[in-house]
Amino acid sequence: MPDNLTFTIIKPTAFKNNHTGAILKMINEAGFVVKAMKITRLMPGQAGAFYAVHKDKPFYQSLVNYMSSGPIVVAILEKDNAVSDYRKLIGATDPTKADEGTIRKLFATSLEKNAVHGSDSDENANIESDFFFSKLERI
Ligand code: ADP
Ligand code: MG
């Protein structure tokens, strides 16, 4: 499994609030290279499948509704130690606990609407990239 790739989503509120450019600038300045990217939108069933690991959590249905509520930007990012370095750049899941200067601290509007997704392992980065991008788009 390559350890130099991760996968991100700019979530609906961050996209709607026009923060995509600022977030991508932070991503580039932290040394990540964008390998694939597109604006897309999830049907509720697709959002449910993407977050299936959380299906028994109390926040699952609201999260699925939210993630399918509007356009998102999805991207594959390349950098050494991509998964852990990107988790550091985005900050804690709960933006009130995220470090100053992190993407979530700067752009989240709530715990659910926390600006971005970032993969939590190399294996999931690969699975999540395959979820959104064809083999050709990933080259
Ligand atoms: P992360 O996105 O940091 O990997 P999780 O995988 O635990 O966090 O959760 C997935 C997403 O579900 C979070 O990014 C957030 O949007 C939402 N979420 C997580 N925990 C809660 C919660 N307690 N209440 C509401 N939404 C939550
Ligand atoms: Mg997660």
Side-chain angles (χ1 to χ4, degrees), residues 31 33 37 50-51 72 87 89 92 94 96 103 107 112-113:
V33 174
M37 181 167 65
F50 185 82
Y51 282 110
I72 55 176
R87 296 288 305 202
L89 179 66
D94 180 346
T96 66
I103 291 174
F107 300 114
E112 179 181 70
K113 299 173 177 59

Side-chain angles (χ1 to χ4, degrees), residues 76-136:
I76 300 172
L77 308 176
E78 183 181 73
K79 183 185 187 296
D80 287 349
N81 303 310
V83 166
S84 61
D85 282 4
Y86 191 61
R87 296 288 305 202
K88 273 181 223 146
L89 179 66
I90 69 178
T93 306
D94 180 346
T96 66
K97 298 185 179 126
D99 288 344
E100 292 298 328
T102 59
I103 291 174
R104 283 169 164 169
K105 184 71 173 189
L106 288 165
F107 300 114
T109 53
S110 73
L111 171 50
E112 179 181 70
K113 299 173 177 59
N114 57 357
V116 288
H117 167 83
S119 304
D120 63 6
S121 67
D122 294 335
E123 186 187 8
N124 282 335
N126 194 47
I127 291 168
E128 292 167 1
S129 297
D130 276 345
F131 190 96
F132 284 96
F133 293 101
S134 69
K135 285 278 175 276
L136 184 62

Side-chain angles (χ1 to χ4, degrees), residues 43-65:
M43 297 292 288
Q46 295 172 300
F50 185 82
Y51 282 110
V53 66
H54 295 303
K55 65 181 182 332
D56 297 325
K57 306 266 177 62
F59 60 80
Y60 177 70
Q61 194 55 55
S62 176
L63 178 65
V64 168
N65 292 344

